Amino acid sequence: MPRRPQLPSFVGYSRVSTLQQSYKGLSLDGQQDAIRSYARVGGKGLISLHEDIKSGAGNPMLRPDLRDALKNAEHLKCAILVTSVCRLGRDLRVYDILVERGIPVWVVGEGKIDRSELKARLRAARDWLARRALQAIAANVKKSPAERKKSVPNLPHARRRGTLINAGRAEERDMKMFGIFDVNPVLLDASRKDLAQALNISGNFNIVDQFDRQEPWTERSVGRLRQRYRQHLQEQLELDDWDNAGGFG
C-alpha cells in the first residue's frame, strides 16, 4: 500500500506592490483569508503569516517580511504558502534562494509546485514586468516632454527593467544550445574555434536581443557558453539531490 504523502505546516506570505492594488482583487486581507483557509484543510496549519507592500521586482531580500518568512520556513522545515507564485516576486533570484534553502512552495488551490514549474512561473512573471516596461517606454515616445515627465515619472527605472527581455532571450538561447550539447556531447571536447564554426554553419547563431538580432558565435562567446553549460549540469545534479531529499518534487 503506497504511503500517504505527509502534509506540511505552512509559513504564509502575501504581497501587494502598492496600496492601490487592494482595489483590484489583490488585497492583503483577501490573500491572507485564502491562505488561512487552505492551511487548515491542505496542511497541518499555519505557523506564521507575513505581508509586504512592496514591488516584486528587484532583489527579493530587500523585502523584510519575505526575509522573515524564508527564515522561519527554513528554520522550522515548513513550506511557503502563497495565493500565486508571482506574490513571491518577479525576479528569478527568489527561485535561487528557495532552492538553495530547500524550501518547498505551495499555492492555494493547487498544492505543491515542483521546481521546474516554479521557475517557469517566476520567469513568466519577470517577462510580464519587462513587457510592461517596454510598453511604457514606447507609449512615452509619442508624448511631449512635459507629458512624458508627468505620465511616467519612473521612466529610467522602466527602461532598466526593459533589459530583462534581453536576459530572458539569453536564457532561451542558452537552453537551446544546452539541448544541442546534450545530444552531441562530443562538442564539449572540440576547440573553441571548431565549436563556433560548427554552430554557425548549422544556423544556430547567437541571438542577442529582443529583436532577434543574430551574430555569429566567436571563440570567446562559445567559451563562455560552454562554461555556462557545465555550470548548468552541476546545478541539475544538485537540484536532483534536493528533490530526492524531499525538497521540491
Side-chain angles (χ1 to χ4, degrees), residues 15-240:
R15 180 186 64 82
V16 292
S17 296
T18 63
L19 289 174
Q20 284 73 18
Q21 278 195 328
S22 296
Y23 303 101
K24 299 180 181 180
L26 292 172
S27 70
L28 291 172
D29 288 343
Q31 293 179 52
Q32 291 170 3
D33 287 345
I35 288 171
R36 290 190 185 96
S37 297
Y38 186 86
R40 287 194 296 268
V41 177
K44 292 182 178 179
L46 198 62
I47 301 297
S48 59
L49 184 55
H50 306 262
E51 65 179 53
D52 277 316
I53 302 176
K54 198 172 181 68
S55 170
N59 188 346
M61 300 312 288
L62 295 180
R63 283 182 266 141
D65 267 71
L66 179 60
R67 283 201 309 268
D68 291 343
L70 294 172
K71 182 178 179 180
N72 283 355
E74 181 181 17
H75 178 68
L76 300 172
K77 306 298 182 185
C78 297
I80 288 283
L81 179 61
V82 291
T83 57
S84 173
V85 166
C86 68
R87 295 301 91 200
L88 290 169
R90 300 182 185 277
D91 190 298
L92 286 177
R93 282 175 287 188
V94 176
Y95 172 83
D96 295 334
I97 293 167
L98 289 164
V99 170
E100 180 182 351
R101 300 187 184 187
I103 302 172
V105 173
W106 286 55
V107 174
V108 170
E110 297 185 50
K112 188 178 182 181
I113 305 297
D114 66 34
R115 58 180 172 83
S116 58
E117 179 64 18
L118 175 67
K119 189 171 188 178
R121 293 193 192 185
L122 286 170
R123 184 187 295 119
R126 177 201 64 184
D127 292 346
W128 174 86
L129 185 65
R131 285 193 298 272
R132 280 195 61 187
L134 289 175
Q135 290 168 359
I137 293 170
N140 213 49
V141 168
K142 302 177 182 179
K143 299 179 180 179
S144 69
E147 289 176 322
R148 290 179 198 173
K149 186 174 181 181
K150 181 178 179 180
S151 62
V152 191
N154 292 322
L155 184 60
H157 175 69
R159 191 172 283 118
R160 288 195 300 272
R161 297 303 302 175
T163 62
L164 289 176
I165 286 289
N166 291 0
R169 289 301 177 93
E171 188 173 14
E172 291 174 7
R173 172 208 59 202
D174 279 1
M175 295 310 295
K176 177 183 176 183
M177 295 298 113
F178 294 168
I180 293 174
F181 289 154
D182 288 340
V183 177
N184 303 281
V186 68
L187 292 175
L188 296 175
D189 299 322
S191 68
R192 290 188 295 180
K193 180 178 179 181
D194 290 343
L195 176 57
Q197 186 177 21
L199 291 177
N200 292 332
I201 290 176
S202 63
N204 293 294
F205 294 106
N206 184 6
I207 300 175
V208 295
D209 62 17
Q210 72 267 32
F211 303 109
D212 287 337
R213 182 165 56 90
Q214 297 180 341
E215 288 185 353
W217 289 100
T218 64
E219 292 184 37
R220 183 178 182 182
S221 60
V222 294
R224 291 176 175 174
L225 173 65
R226 193 153 50 185
Q227 183 179 11
R228 291 194 297 274
Y229 176 69
R230 292 191 174 110
Q231 182 180 359
H232 165 75
L233 291 180
Q234 182 61 36
E235 289 174 351
Q236 291 305 305
L237 289 174
E238 292 173 356
L239 288 173
D240 289 342

